[in-house]
Amino acid sequence: MSVDPKRDPREVALFRAVQELLEGGPELPAPAERSRLREAAGITQAALARALETSTQTVKNWEAGRSDPRPPRRDPYLALLQGWAKKYPAPTPASVPAPAPEPASAPSAARPRPSGTQPASAPKRPSARKTAATKTAAAKTSTVAVDARFANGPLAVVDAATTGEVLAYCVDGLVLDVPARTLPGLVEWTLAEARLGAPRLDSWGRDADPLLALTPAALEIFGLPVELSEDEQAAGRLSADHQVLEELAEAQWQLTRRGLGPWARIYRPAQGGRRACVQLCIPSWRALDTRSWGNAADLPPAELARTLGLYAQRVMTPRGSTAVTGLELMTALHPPTRASEPDADGRRHSVRNPGSLGREPVDPAPCEAIDGHPVLADLPRFHVRGPAERLFEEAYDWARELTDEECLKPHLVGIDVNMAFAAAANGVPVGLAAAPVHTLNPVFDPTVPGSWLVDLSHVDLSRVRVGKQWVDLRGDLLPSPFTPTGERPAGPAWYATPTVAYAVELGYDVAPVEAWLRPDAGRYLDGWYQRLRDAYIATMEDLGVPDKLPPDQFLTAMDGCKACDPEAAIVLGAIKNTVKGGIGKLQEKARGGGWRPGRPWPALARPTWRPDIRAAVISRARTGMHRKMVALAAATGAYPIAVLSDCAVYAADGPSPLDVLPYGPDGKTIPGSFRIGVSPGMVKHEGTQTPLWAEQLRDQTQAPLLNLARYIKAGTTAGPDSGE
């Protein structure tokens, strides 16, 4: 096919694309057949991905029909499939069981719908194109129920081509043509035609608003700066006199109090119960913090859409930073209100949703309030509260000197608990919507959440109860479970319920003198944990680390797993930071130069400003870590050298966690101690160094006592902190 070189360059490019299709060569087998052949050969998706130097998720996309391989991988993959087809021919029709009939009464929303179809009542379909990598997706039948309102996924990355076209890259490779050239027009198009968004996570919640990530090229098209000025960065928003803000106001669109910043919400007041809201994410304005999202802001549009889309599908559509999203996920899973039963006139009313935190904020107990909170306004200025006045439930930061025997060991091995705070959140009872009740001389009840003033200085770690037996330990080689520094408490102090319960578990009596209790209790965080756990495990599987691997295979799979699928690795980091940040947001501090101690700050207006819930989770994580260390010490005589949050360092004869944690021929380890594996609460290898490295690090920093858990992963003081 000859092409006149004098034609329009865009037309020439289209002719070339057609020529490539004509010369495409042999067709690939259907997606289901690709999967069948691989499984017949006994090859995992991760192994195939390594052989073809691609990601596990890409192989999954090929086998699900979401995309097709492209050069240089297409022909080698086709040759492999053809070879497998000769070895493992498809079964004859007589040997294939007939499919089960579909129930006639299945609801339409749950039935598979071909991805290229739409119901008659659907809004106007936007102009769409499928990339070459997803041309087979339109022909296959989806196995997942699709909400027609959100047929194009939860979000899109909007970019501008050099030809002037504006394109919206959606999940699964779909690309939409965007006719808008102004920001108000983009918002109108998104709500009227784009069919973006996500269904609610709870029947009483609300659907997720569509999210648009704008690339620098798109920002220029819509009249926005590629980067904020220094003053705008400090304010966290675009200048109030910017022309685009005037355009939004003229079109009767509103912004939240945060204005047009890295994460912005553009909306009109709801009418008839219908929301009209679009959220913007602007990576070049630092919306995607590198601590949570790695290099996501630098990804090409299609890859960024896949990365953000994977997170949105497994966690929820981002609502801001991972910390904000972690907090919003709690509310999305437990909406504060629901509709009541019909009254005498047949009307329903908004009432509190059982199991939620309600709609109104609750003041903390004085001991739970952080410095500067209004409930402490009567305290003298510059008053410093000690443990008998304030609840100090924080993660471990403890270290000790090596013993002579440990110095002779050739290795220092760090083990790290997976998703430690998420695991601690699972099953923890917390107060719900009621205010705490002040009680004097209460009888301790481990089932009642709250804060207790009690003296635990009598607990002697040299003799504790493990299970039903008393054991003798080297208490001087263990941190105290009652303080974040690991030091033994000197007298009465405030503790969350899990900490006091652990003292009882160790075999010691407790006699609280005061308490702030919350009898209105529930396991508010269980659903939050389960969703984040499932997201974490699914993403680890994308990285070639499936659940329930034997310990040695798990440790091997973990080596370099993040290189298998860099985008999934970004999502994994975002999931971890969603856990950490969500728990941290429960005690968000005041920010901004205009705040004064004793005055409220915006976060206090949220029902999710709950420092007592944060304290309970951290208390449970810290005491759970101690419980595992005690069980290991009682069984093997191994004691931690340093602990930082969820990472512990041990001296060992070998470089592997298997040299610290004994496993028997039956594949079982010490009951109640650390277990190697991928699930939250299990452990992975954090890093291995030597006692000589520890001495050199101490000389380098001139510090008398370093927490080696902070540096064992990177091996240098310039590396990032350990832990999740």
Side-chain angles (χ1 to χ4, degrees), residues 18 24 34 90 123 140 143 265 283 296 326 355 397 468 477 480 485 488 589 637 674 723:
V18 170
R34 303 171 198 175
K140 79 179 187 74
T143 59
R265 303 188 73 79
D397 188 351
K468 296 182 179 180
L477 299 183
S480 167
T485 61
R488 189 168 180 167
K589 297 180 180 178
F674 300 101

Side-chain angles (χ1 to χ4, degrees), residues 296-390:
D298 301 324
L299 293 175
E303 295 176 20
L304 179 58
R306 184 217 157 197
T307 301
L308 292 175
L310 194 62
Y311 178 89
Q313 290 164 349
R314 291 180 177 171
V315 180
M316 70 179 297
T317 305
R319 297 286 301 274
S321 67
T322 51
V324 169
T325 304
L327 200 67
E328 291 287 342
L329 180 60
M330 298 179 194
T331 303
L333 293 168
H334 285 288
T337 60
R338 65 173 179 84
S340 68
E341 295 297 324
D343 60 17
D345 297 326
R347 296 180 180 177
R348 296 180 182 269
H349 306 276
S350 178
V351 297
R352 184 196 155 205
N353 188 20
S356 76
L357 300 183
R359 192 159 43 185
E360 300 300 325
V362 176
D363 277 340
C367 62
E368 297 164 350
I370 59 176
D371 291 340
H373 192 282
V375 302
L376 305 175
D378 293 336
L379 286 179
R381 193 177 182 187
F382 305 121
H383 175 74
V384 178
R385 295 183 294 157
E389 296 176 275
R390 180 180 173 184

Side-chain angles (χ1 to χ4, degrees), residues 54-91:
T54 187
S55 68
T56 306
Q57 183 62 41
T58 297
V59 173
K60 287 186 176 185
N61 289 343
W62 294 346
E63 295 184 356
R66 290 191 292 269
S67 66
D68 274 348
R70 305 181 70 179
R73 296 179 179 85
R74 186 186 189 279
D75 288 345
Y77 182 48
L78 177 59
L80 179 63
L81 293 175
Q82 290 172 339
W84 280 342
K86 293 178 181 178
K87 279 186 170 184
Y88 315 105

Side-chain angles (χ1 to χ4, degrees), residues 4-87:
D4 185 353
K6 295 182 180 180
R7 289 181 181 271
D8 181 89
R10 185 180 175 193
E11 189 175 3
V12 172
L14 293 174
F15 269 112
R16 287 175 179 165
V18 170
Q19 184 71 15
E20 289 177 3
L21 293 176
L22 291 174
E23 299 173 354
E27 289 189 3
L28 288 158
E33 178 66 2
R34 303 171 198 175
S35 178
R36 184 193 73 79
L37 290 171
R38 177 186 55 76
E39 292 173 354
I43 303 299
T44 66
Q45 291 175 325
L48 179 56
R50 286 193 292 271
L52 294 176
E53 298 182 356
T54 187
S55 68
T56 306
Q57 183 62 41
T58 297
V59 173
K60 287 186 176 185
N61 289 343
W62 294 346
E63 295 184 356
R66 290 191 292 269
S67 66
D68 274 348
R70 305 181 70 179
R73 296 179 179 85
R74 186 186 189 279
D75 288 345
Y77 182 48
L78 177 59
L80 179 63
L81 293 175
Q82 290 172 339
W84 280 342
K86 293 178 181 178
K87 279 186 170 184

Side-chain angles (χ1 to χ4, degrees), residues 19 70 102 127 152 170 275 302 399 407 463 519 612 626 632 688:
Q19 184 71 15
R70 305 181 70 179
E102 181 180 352
S127 173
N152 295 331
C170 307
R275 287 173 58 79
C407 288
R463 183 167 177 78
D612 58 294
H626 195 273
L632 183 63
T688 296

